[in-house]
Amino acid sequence: MMELEFYKMEGAGNDFVVLDNRKLGLPLEEIIALSPQLCDRKFGIGADGLLALENSSLPDVDYTMIYRNADGSDAGMCGNGSRCLALFAAHNGFNKEQTFNVHEAIYKATVDIEQEQVSVSFPDVIAPKKLNINKKNYLQVYTGTEHIISFEDLDRLEIEDELVEEGRFIRNHPVLNPPGTNVNFVCPNEDDSMYVQTYERGVEDLTLACGTGAIASAIGTHFMQEYNTGEFSFEVIVKGGTLSVHFSFDEATNTYSNIKLNGPARFVYAGIINL
């Protein structure tokens, strides 16, 4: 039997099991194998995904972020997970200004420990593509991981059974597989805010928040409203709280840059699990 020290954290209701793998030294294969067990809400700790803080694998970064979905699959980037891990790092010897990598992509984080707020800067994103599946229009955008945007009325966002059904259908659609996609149901407001529900690949259900989905939803909303070049900020209201997304858009290159995701991050508890 192995005893494993862990931390439980959440960012706007997106919850994670966090491991300090600098101390544990688990190989990636073992982290992948452990993810479904640790994230199981009945027989494990319970979480949307597993985060591991690793020694840096690239030059000029403070640390490497390992993230796995609840089923052990590779999610690519996890926005709320990165904000939680940045807060964890700030409590474990790292500065409040941090640079880290997920695979080959490099991100920067700014941590406000007292306010439990974390901002993460993302690499540039290319403008969304239009997609039609079963005679319904969607947007496809990559924000460190795959996302689909579906614009909805507010009433539909409350019919969660329908969202799960459609989310599962789109997530598994042959046009988008492999690797599959996350699906965001978005209701924009007139004041640069929006309501969002996200069906997450790897969790295979709606989650209370999705950070990369919040960015994708804000970019998708901007794209559909056909704004010109400039700087923009959106408030993304999810079941677990509120996230802020900021970016610049250059219509000459059709590129979104200076992307920042800001929101709450919090320790829930620490413990030891017997495996």
Side-chain angles (χ1 to χ4, degrees), residues 61-80:
V61 300
D62 297 313
Y63 58 87
T64 292
M65 169 179 150
I66 302 295
Y67 181 70
R68 288 283 154 170
N69 287 319
D71 64 0
S73 60
D74 186 356
M77 177 53 166
C78 176
N80 287 327

Side-chain angles (χ1 to χ4, degrees), residues 68-127:
R68 288 283 154 170
N69 287 319
D71 64 0
S73 60
D74 186 356
M77 177 53 166
C78 176
N80 287 327
S82 71
R83 296 189 307 96
C84 287
L85 194 64
L87 179 63
F88 180 83
H91 280 273
N92 286 274
F94 292 91
N95 295 326
K96 296 179 182 179
E97 302 285 336
Q98 306 164 7
T99 302
F100 63 94
N101 70 291
V102 180
H103 299 307
E104 300 303 312
I106 296 176
Y107 302 83
K108 293 184 178 181
T110 302
V111 181
D112 186 332
I113 293 178
E114 290 74 22
Q115 298 297 320
E116 295 184 323
Q117 292 282 318
V118 180
S119 176
V120 172
S121 297
F122 279 66
D124 293 355
V125 170
I126 302 301

Side-chain angles (χ1 to χ4, degrees), residues 29-187:
E29 294 76 13
E30 192 163 354
I31 292 174
I32 294 170
L34 284 172
S35 295
Q37 181 178 354
L38 297 178
C39 294
D40 190 294
R41 297 192 183 276
K42 299 295 184 181
F43 298 101
I45 300 161
D48 293 328
L50 176 68
L51 290 163
L53 178 67
E54 287 271 9
N55 292 316
S56 59
S57 62
L58 295 180
D60 302 321
V61 300
D62 297 313
Y63 58 87
T64 292
M65 169 179 150
I66 302 295
Y67 181 70
R68 288 283 154 170
N69 287 319
D71 64 0
S73 60
D74 186 356
M77 177 53 166
C78 176
N80 287 327
S82 71
R83 296 189 307 96
C84 287
L85 194 64
L87 179 63
F88 180 83
H91 280 273
N92 286 274
F94 292 91
N95 295 326
K96 296 179 182 179
E97 302 285 336
Q98 306 164 7
T99 302
F100 63 94
N101 70 291
V102 180
H103 299 307
E104 300 303 312
I106 296 176
Y107 302 83
K108 293 184 178 181
T110 302
V111 181
D112 186 332
I113 293 178
E114 290 74 22
Q115 298 297 320
E116 295 184 323
Q117 292 282 318
V118 180
S119 176
V120 172
S121 297
F122 279 66
D124 293 355
V125 170
I126 302 301
K129 296 179 180 179
K130 295 181 180 180
L131 189 67
N132 186 283
I133 298 177
N134 277 14
K135 300 181 180 179
K136 181 173 179 178
N137 294 322
Y138 298 93
L139 293 179
Q140 185 178 17
V141 59
Y142 186 84
T143 57
T145 190
E146 294 79 6
H147 281 279
I148 290 291
I149 309 299
S150 175
F151 292 102
E152 308 286 350
D153 293 331
L154 184 58
D155 289 345
R156 177 132 199 273
L157 264 63
E158 298 301 322
I159 311 175
E160 295 191 347
D161 289 346
E162 289 187 7
L163 300 185
V164 170
E165 182 179 0
E166 182 176 349
R168 184 172 295 129
F169 172 75
I170 296 298
R171 177 259 184 272
N172 291 293
H173 197 280
V175 170
L176 299 166
N177 280 270
T181 185
N182 304 285
V183 185
N184 304 274
F185 301 96
V186 182
C187 176

